[in-house]
Amino acid sequence: MSGTAAATGTGSASCRFAHYFVVCGLDAETGLEPDDGAGRWLTKHEKKQTHQGALLLSRDFCENFEQSPIRRSFKSKVLVRYPENTDRNPFNKDAVNMLCMPRGLSFRTQADRLDPQFHSFTMSSDDGTRSYGFVHTFYEEVTSPQIITAMYTLYQMHHVEQSLAGVPVCLGCAGSFDAARDTLYVSKALCLLTPLPFLQASRQFLSQLHQAVTSHTAPPLPLESYIHNILYEVPLPPPGRSLRFHGVQGPIMCQRPGPGELPLGEYPLGEAFSLLGVDNMVQLLTCAFLETQVLLYSQDYQRLMTVAEGVTTLLFPFQWQHIYLPIVSTPLHHLLDAPVPFLMGIQRRDGAQRTSLHLPHEANLCFVDIDNHCVEAPEDLPLFPHQTELIQELTEVLLRFGLPLQGGVITKPTTTTSTTTSTSPRMSSLVLEDLMEDRRNGNLGGEELAVLERLQALARRCEGGKMPDGGKTLGHVFEEEEEELKAAKLNIQLREVFAGRFAAMFGRYEEFVIHSALDLDSWLSNREGTFSFDKGSFLSVQPATHLRFLSRFLETSMFSSFVDGKVISRWADREPMQQLFDNRLEKERLYDTDKDSHNCHYRKCTALFESAQATEHRLLKADHTAIHPHLLDMRIGQGRHQPGYFPKLQADVLAQGQNTNKTEPKRSAMADHSGVDNEQRQKHTFMRRSLRQSKLLDPSPQAITQTHREFADGLLSECRLKTKRMLMERMGRESVELGQGEANITGLQENTLIHGLCDLLERTWGHGLQLKQGKSALWSHLLHYQAAQGKTEAPAESPGSNSSDQRLFDDGALLLRGSLIQDMRFIQTMSEGLSEVGQARAWIHLALEKKMLSQHLKELLTNQELLRQLYKPHAFLLCEEEREQFLFHLLSLNTVDYLCFTRVFTSISIPYRVVIIPMKKLSIAMATVNPWVCVSGELGDSGVRQIPKNTQEIFFQCKNLGRLSTLQLGQENSGLLAKCLIDCVMVYNEITGHTYKFPCGRWLGKGVGDGSLERVLIGQLVSPGGEDDAGRWTGTPPELASPSQSVRTVLGSLGIQEDMREAANNLVKHFHKPEQERGNLTVLLCGEGGLVLSLEKFLLHGFRSNRLFQRNVFVWDFVGMVHLVTRCVTTSTAINASPRNIGKEGKFQLFVCLGIRDRLLSQWLPLLAECPLTARTYDEGALLRDRAAVHSLSRILHTLNDFTVTLEMALVKGVDL
């Protein structure tokens, strides 16, 4: 269809190329008003003088007195806009004006540079759809005598003030103004608002419009004709097609991707990568994917937009769900207080430094200094999956296009004449083709065409001459077209690299989507309590190196929204981006020869060149041509050309399209990539966005108050959802530890949820913060509170006081317990080298583990005077009702147990207290025993600690042991009565408050029980205040009595075999879990219900003990006799030869553990059954004499040979085997 004018563009504004044309600048009728952003307070004398001289002031604002009026900012106005309004895209006058001229009006004189500037912006509607604004700003001479007089009056007052202050003033220098000598210029902005990011086409149209204004030669048609044409007669290109329309000075091309291609993205990614460098760009994208707060910083507004749009473009197939304002003007700087993820950009003022910025949120902030090519990422940022390989692939793509790899000045590769000659004809054919089209349409005669063809050929040969009125040679035009094509191809290839990465990571994501609802309404009504994605199962099949990133990414709003879209697609049409992604996945599966669906090897993108070809084809050959600009029905005298001045446009011909078709086109025709709603989806879509995006751009006090009220409501809602999720997941984990279900959360996911809680608290404490120390808002508040408490408590403390909350360790160290301040002091003394953010997170972990988080924060917020000093009135912490609800939600976390501090900070020193509790009736025996203990946990053991004489407890400090598992309790067998009956041993972690109970219920001493002088006890974590509860870990099993007749009746053979199968099955499940998620193996072996106790019951079944022994019997008595005739002699001999006196029960326990470790236990059981002594020792109905039972048990134990068993040192210490 090339060369046809089939698309007229008439009808709905949603189908047009542009929504609005806007002119912003100085309104001479209202005069000069100081800009809100400049914020200057005027003196009384200045107010009086300015009112006398044609300067109208609406408000007083604070600005630096030293700045010359010529350098100050003044309010701009929307001078004209066409059309006045559209139904589907209402015009936001204040927002457009603020984004067109973020720094307000700028004045210059002939001594200053008057180069035009270009920048763009984006605005989001409440439903998340965006529109784009493209702004061409230039300087126009001021002709209003009132404005010139007002500016001269301001300058004279400034000159007097500076002279009185002793500041030298240089007349005629930069910033000076003399109405008689200087020519005054003021900035004016031409803006085009479009539904799609047609960056290049819009830029060219506005640039040509401005060139026509500055040209000494009048354009072929009045400017109204060109503006009317682009507003009402140029349509959106159909998906997968290109469109050519005409500007003032030449043809302009735009194109739109097809249904199977990535959405439109014209912002130059190559420039973004060149500005920041590949490594920094990948780090920035990682922050965006994890929804940290991202703040861009640059002097150039267009750089802010380029980087911001580059980031959001590369998020495909996901979409940014939070505040998105790439350009935040000064009146909107209150949004930096936003306690939510955001992607915003602020302009660097001349001479401003990074340290001059007051940023309330820095704990989870990614600060991007574009001009200095620097990215400051948050602490503990995980690596992007396959980050090294990804950077290498991106580097190769950039090198192919000749771009610099490290952040620095962007330099276009030089092009020689021969290169231009060889490459320009491809794009130059567009010019010839367009001119031929003009001739066919009757716009050019044959003679004119022949002349232009000769000029074009001449330009290719010489490349030296300038076109009239400062225009470009045709050769330069060809170079620009080549660069545009090159940038478009680079964009596609860089985007394909990231799209390929996510296709590889989430290629099978549909298998983990949970469809639990019968219809859409029921799903929406139960959305908060519904899990739509099986995160645990998904993470279990991912490479270990990717888990930190993926576990956090799965918690983001962008991923949740993506999964919600997949669930909703059962009842409504899929969103275009999701449909595109799913179609790509299906296509890859068809051609994927790798049968391993979870292959973790990095594969480069193979569709780079193929994807770029479609875009190149559209740019080289136009599929459609829009109606040419034409004369309008204008009054005589309108549209006159006045060089250097943008004319006053004739409103009646631009307010609406002429001869337009008023019927609405079918929206389905344009629904592909245009962001147009689907009616069914619009009716049922679950809206996650709580903030009204349109209100964010309203700088009025009422709107700001409402915005921060919505922020506070959002924080409260987020806290409720996070705590609910943490409770549900943690309770699910505890049910697994109790054997009541399957795991649906891993330790990594738990850490991710706690990290999210830390981030929430930081954002909450940063909302409205005006006084901060360091980067952490929470830790800053804690430090201020600590200082305030120190002033009030210091006089009350006596030098020699020693409160009941203080204890001395055995090494003389002082122990502080319990309070918020004491927990802070412990964090401050940790030898971890933590930053302020790290200290705040450590404090949160500790308070959460102690179940004191809500209580500590409530205490912190009791100092109302401090709160008012630190926070602005709109801060969340000053909203009393919301604050109480927030603390209530945090209080609910006390119902579950966490070991987040213990397991994260593994290298710190922890104080422990050990208390031995004897049986009450024999407690006096402890006075004659010299016991010792050795505590072991996940991270090591304490070493032997001798308990002082005549005491039953000991304090000591050692490296963090992690979650405690076993305790060795022994005595030296010295003293008058060197024996005691131990009930249990209690171990207290004096920092976290955790209590561990190690049940014993056995004698410790020679001549009693099994004669043990040392026992290995299995611990259980006891809930605070519940020392008598059973706990969550099974402890040391109760001692089995001699197998009398009554015992044999209770111990049924079926129950014993079932216990054996259950114990072995628990071990198998233990080893099939990811290594980092496995529980304590010692508990499964030696605890109640463990393998040792089950096997002991098996061997005691049918035992004829009364015929052979007169005292209590133990299984080891039988094994000790049998070993003389079996092959287990080596193990039993080594156990008997051990210097440890662990008794018969301990020896049997060690015997079983070594048999499992050495893969011999399954062989020993048949040997015990076949031993001649067995027939004399066991009844005929005993399990050991039942061949089927022995064979079944042997097979069960044989399955354990597939696993590598590593025993705790507490179990095998002293055994040389």
Side-chain angles (χ1 to χ4, degrees), residues 942-985:
S942 66
V944 174
R945 302 280 178 166
Q946 189 71 46
I947 297 180
K949 290 184 178 181
N950 301 322
T951 63
Q952 296 174 212
E953 68 176 0
I954 182 177
F955 292 87
F956 61 87
Q957 191 159 358
C958 68
K959 185 180 177 182
N960 184 7
L961 303 178
R963 185 168 191 167
L964 304 186
S965 55
T966 59
L967 180 142
Q968 294 171 254
L969 172 65
Q971 60 128 325
E972 299 175 353
N973 196 31
S974 61
L976 184 62
L977 296 172
K979 59 186 71 175
C980 59
L981 184 59
I982 305 298
D983 180 24
C984 65
V985 180

Side-chain angles (χ1 to χ4, degrees), residues 684-733:
H684 296 290
T685 296
F686 177 76
M687 295 302 295
R688 288 181 169 271
R689 302 178 181 88
S690 60
L691 292 171
R692 290 178 294 173
Q693 298 287 326
S694 59
K695 293 296 183 183
L696 294 177
L697 295 173
D698 188 347
S700 66
Q702 298 82 1
I704 291 175
T705 301
Q706 180 62 29
T707 295
H708 286 285
R709 169 59 57 183
E710 292 181 7
F711 284 148
D713 294 341
L715 283 174
L716 186 59
S717 176
E718 186 179 355
C719 181
R720 176 176 58 84
L721 293 176
K722 278 190 182 296
T723 52
K724 181 179 179 180
R725 169 81 193 284
M726 292 175 70
L727 287 173
M728 293 175 64
E729 299 285 19
R730 184 61 198 163
M731 287 178 175
R733 177 69 178 272

Side-chain angles (χ1 to χ4, degrees), residues 540-573:
S540 67
V541 297
Q542 303 302 316
T545 54
H546 298 180
L547 293 180
R548 285 193 64 228
F549 173 86
L550 289 175
S551 63
R552 286 177 56 178
F553 179 70
L554 297 187
E555 299 297 326
T556 60
S557 295
M558 72 172 73
F559 182 77
S560 297
S561 177
F562 179 78
V563 173
D564 288 348
K566 186 64 178 180
V567 174
I568 294 174
S569 66
R570 297 175 62 193
W571 306 287
D573 293 339

Side-chain angles (χ1 to χ4, degrees), residues 26 28-34 40 42 46-59 69 72 74-75 107 145-155 157:
L26 172 65
E29 296 180 0
T30 60
L32 297 179
E33 297 179 68
R40 175 174 188 257
L42 300 178
E46 197 171 30
K47 291 182 193 177
K48 181 178 179 181
Q49 291 295 322
T50 52
H51 275 290
Q52 292 176 353
L55 173 63
L56 303 182
L57 299 171
S58 59
R59 293 184 210 166
R72 298 173 191 171
F74 296 87
K75 281 188 176 181
F107 285 89
Q146 294 85 358
I147 298 298
I148 296 174
T149 302
M151 179 59 69
Y152 186 56
T153 301
L154 278 178
Y155 180 76
M157 288 187 293

